[in-house]
Amino acid sequence: MADNETIKERLIFFIRHLNIGQGKFESRCGLANGYVNNIRRSITPDKLQQIIRQFPELNAGWLMTGEGEMLKQLSTNVNEVSGNENIVDMTVTQTIGENSGQNAGRDINNPPCPYGELHFMAELEAQRRFSERQLEVYSASLDKLHEQICNAQSQIEMLVKQNTELFNRFMSVMESMGD
C-alpha cells in the first residue's frame, strides 16, 4: 500500500483482506450503514475501539497513520519469553496465564491480550502522531491563510489609495469646471 493513503482507504483494504462486505463489517462493529464510505479525514476514538474490539488483529497504529504492518503479531516467541530452555513451559504459563511480572519487558513487546495496557498505549501513541500531523497541516494552512490575508490587506490599501487619488483628481476637475 502507498504511504499517502487515507484512513478510509486503509480500512477498505483491511475489509477486503477479511473478504467480507463493508455492510457486514459495519454491522459487526456496531457502525452505521455507510459509515466507512462517509469517513472524511479520521475516525473518532470510540469508533476505533469498536473496530478493534471486533478485529483485535488489526493494528490500530497502521490504521491511523499507515505506519507498521496492517496485522498485529499476537504470538509470543517461547525462546524470547523464557530465555532458559529448562523452564519454558512454566515461564510461558506464568507470564501469559498469571501475568506474573516475570519477563515483563518481553510481555510488553508481545502482549498476550490485545486489550491490555500496551495495546491502549500503542493506540494512544498512534492517535498522538496522527494529531501531530493534523496540527502541522492546520498550522501550514493557517500560515498560508495569514499570508493571503496580508496580501489582501495590501491590495485593499493600494485600491483605497488609488481611489482616493482618482477622487481628488475628479474633484479638482469639477472645481475647475465650476470656476
Side-chain angles (χ1 to χ4, degrees):
M1 292 197 70
D3 290 338
N4 61 351
E5 291 186 330
T6 65
I7 290 173
K8 177 180 178 178
E9 290 167 330
R10 287 189 293 272
L11 191 55
I12 290 170
F13 184 80
F14 176 68
I15 294 169
R16 286 185 184 144
H17 165 78
L18 295 172
N19 201 24
I20 63 173
Q22 287 185 24
K24 186 172 183 178
F25 174 84
E26 291 164 342
S27 176
R28 281 185 61 186
C29 294
L31 302 170
N33 273 350
Y35 175 81
V36 173
N37 286 331
N38 291 323
I39 295 172
R40 294 290 173 242
R41 292 179 188 244
S42 187
I43 58 177
T44 60
D46 61 314
K47 300 298 185 201
L48 177 63
Q49 275 303 119
Q50 286 175 245
I51 293 168
I52 296 299
R53 254 187 232 111
Q54 288 303 311
F55 300 99
E57 70 274 18
L58 176 62
N59 179 348
W62 172 83
L63 179 62
M64 298 303 288
T65 67
E67 295 176 9
E69 300 296 321
M70 176 177 70
L71 301 177
K72 287 190 266 181
Q73 299 297 321
L74 297 178
S75 63
T76 302
N77 185 327
V78 172
N79 291 330
E80 286 183 6
V81 170
S82 71
N84 182 340
E85 293 178 25
N86 296 329
I87 59 166
V88 169
D89 292 334
M90 183 178 77
T91 303
V92 170
T93 302
Q94 277 186 313
T95 303
I96 294 174
E98 299 171 18
N99 195 17
S100 67
Q102 292 181 8
N103 302 305
R106 298 187 204 289
D107 290 345
I108 288 173
N109 292 327
N110 276 318
C113 175
Y115 301 105
E117 186 176 325
L118 175 66
H119 176 74
F120 179 71
M121 295 302 289
E123 287 180 22
L124 285 178
E125 178 61 21
Q127 289 175 6
R128 183 192 64 77
R129 284 194 309 266
F130 179 74
S131 296
E132 281 180 349
R133 288 185 184 142
Q134 281 186 317
L135 283 174
E136 289 171 4
V137 169
Y138 293 147
S139 177
S141 294
L142 285 175
D143 290 345
K144 194 169 202 166
L145 286 172
H146 179 70
E147 182 180 329
Q148 289 173 344
I149 289 169
C150 288
N151 288 338
Q153 284 175 332
S154 295
Q155 290 175 353
I156 290 169
E157 289 171 2
M158 182 180 71
L159 289 172
V160 167
K161 183 178 178 182
Q162 288 174 351
N163 284 336
T164 302
E165 290 172 2
L166 287 173
F167 178 75
N168 289 338
R169 279 192 221 152
F170 175 75
M171 291 306 289
S172 293
V173 169
M174 291 300 287
E175 287 176 9
S176 64
M177 288 177 70
D179 290 339

